[in-house]
Amino acid sequence: MKYGLISDIHANLEALTSVLSDLEKQRVDSIHCLGDVIGYGADPEACLKLIQQTCDTKLLGNHEYAALGLQSVEQFNEAAKAAAEWTQQTLNEDAVAIMADFDLDRALDDMYLVHASPFEPNRWHYVFAAEDAIRGFGQMKQDLGFFGHSHIPMILRERPDTLPHVRAGHTFAADPEGRYLINVGSVGQPRDNDPRACYVVYESDERDIEFHRVEYDIAAAQRKMSKASLPETLISRLSAGI
Ligand code: ZN
């Protein structure tokens, strides 16, 4: 089976449509979205509808959680808070109903899918470093965990009696004996100094994990954000991928 894994779209319709057409070329069997479809960008509703139509798995991210009123935005930074408030005012009942159907996590074949960490999925812990991954591996029953949240493509491999091994996201064949946590990067707001949209294809027979980067119309996404008066820092970061 060939699975497409996408995360952190952040209401960037230009990035999402480019990734979905690239996924079509990859001939994946199914697409799985790991959360944060909304927040930051200008097209939350269109992105939610497209995710609902195209994805088998639809997970909650912290931005959906906040928009559903399940947590406050007080711990968001200023720009994120302003964007979250704009998003909440923009979303209509249909969009809210789509998000209300999203799951917190999902076990699927040999995969575990979650937005942030397998440890306390609704507390949105970041997994950046080896230390962060230990609790995640401890909580996960499967050998392969796919997640997002930090917008940094990354591979963390569990090791016996020592800290997990951390590498930047790159295409590789997973060791059949190995256990991994894989950050699939961000479709709509990459933060690894590469502004292209990022996603992953997992082929389960060979256990091949491929990271893909896709060019999209960044200027068009930025124009819409300016028109919606979204914070300038969120607009400019798209060109730099930071
Ligand atoms: Zn995010």
Side-chain angles (χ1 to χ4, degrees):
M1 292 290 263
K2 219 173 167 184
Y3 305 91
L5 298 147
I6 63 175
S7 190
D8 295 275
I9 291 97
H10 286 296
N12 186 336
L13 186 62
E14 286 69 27
L16 178 59
T17 49
S18 300
V19 162
L20 290 175
S21 61
D22 207 67
L23 273 162
E24 227 169 83
K25 289 183 219 147
Q26 303 294 330
R27 310 187 78 85
V28 292
D29 296 293
S30 53
I31 305 174
H32 306 271
C33 175
L34 311 184
D36 275 5
V37 177
I38 61 164
Y40 304 140
D43 282 306
E45 205 179 311
C47 288
L48 282 168
K49 285 187 176 150
L50 204 46
I51 291 294
Q52 189 193 34
Q53 288 159 12
T54 53
C55 294
D56 276 27
T57 302
K58 288 149 291 228
L59 297 187
L60 287 162
N62 47 312
H63 284 257
E64 282 82 37
Y65 222 54
L68 288 167
L70 296 168
Q71 82 175 42
S72 91
V73 294
E74 282 317 305
Q75 71 268 49
F76 282 28
N77 66 42
E78 281 310 308
K81 203 190 291 177
E85 280 158 6
W86 179 88
T87 302
Q88 218 155 7
Q89 286 157 15
T90 306
L91 292 175
N92 64 18
E93 267 177 40
D94 290 353
V96 173
I98 293 173
M99 289 189 296
D101 263 352
F102 286 9
D103 298 309
L104 193 55
D105 59 0
R106 185 179 183 193
L108 176 68
D109 303 329
D110 59 344
M111 301 183 287
Y112 175 74
L113 309 176
V114 70
H115 181 65
S117 172
F119 176 72
E120 300 179 335
N122 62 345
R123 301 286 301 277
W124 321 107
H125 301 292
Y126 281 99
V127 180
F128 275 121
E131 289 82 359
D132 311 324
I134 293 175
R135 290 189 304 183
F137 280 120
Q139 208 58 41
M140 185 171 83
K141 295 185 186 74
Q142 295 78 2
D143 286 344
L144 288 176
F146 292 94
F147 69 105
H149 193 40
S150 72
H151 304 202
I152 310 281
M154 199 176 259
I155 302 160
L156 302 106
R157 181 174 179 172
E158 191 177 42
R159 292 207 277 181
D161 309 319
T162 181
L163 286 173
H165 192 211
V166 186
R167 299 291 292 275
H170 63 278
T171 293
F172 75 113
D175 182 342
E177 308 290 306
R179 297 185 79 223
Y180 300 85
L181 275 167
I182 293 155
N183 190 315
V184 303
S186 168
V187 169
Q189 196 198 78
R191 294 178 189 161
D192 61 334
N193 300 308
D194 182 342
R196 293 174 300 168
C198 186
Y199 74 90
V200 161
V201 171
Y202 168 52
E203 197 283 307
S204 58
D205 290 343
E206 301 296 325
R207 280 194 129 199
D208 279 332
I209 289 154
E210 294 174 2
F211 283 81
H212 292 262
R213 299 307 287 243
V214 186
E215 307 253 4
Y216 73 94
D217 192 347
I218 294 175
Q222 289 174 318
R223 275 196 300 275
K224 287 191 201 167
M225 290 171 80
S226 293
K227 217 174 150 195
S229 303
L230 284 156
E232 184 52 41
T233 48
L234 299 177
I235 299 171
S236 58
R237 72 187 304 173
L238 292 183
S239 330
I242 53 170

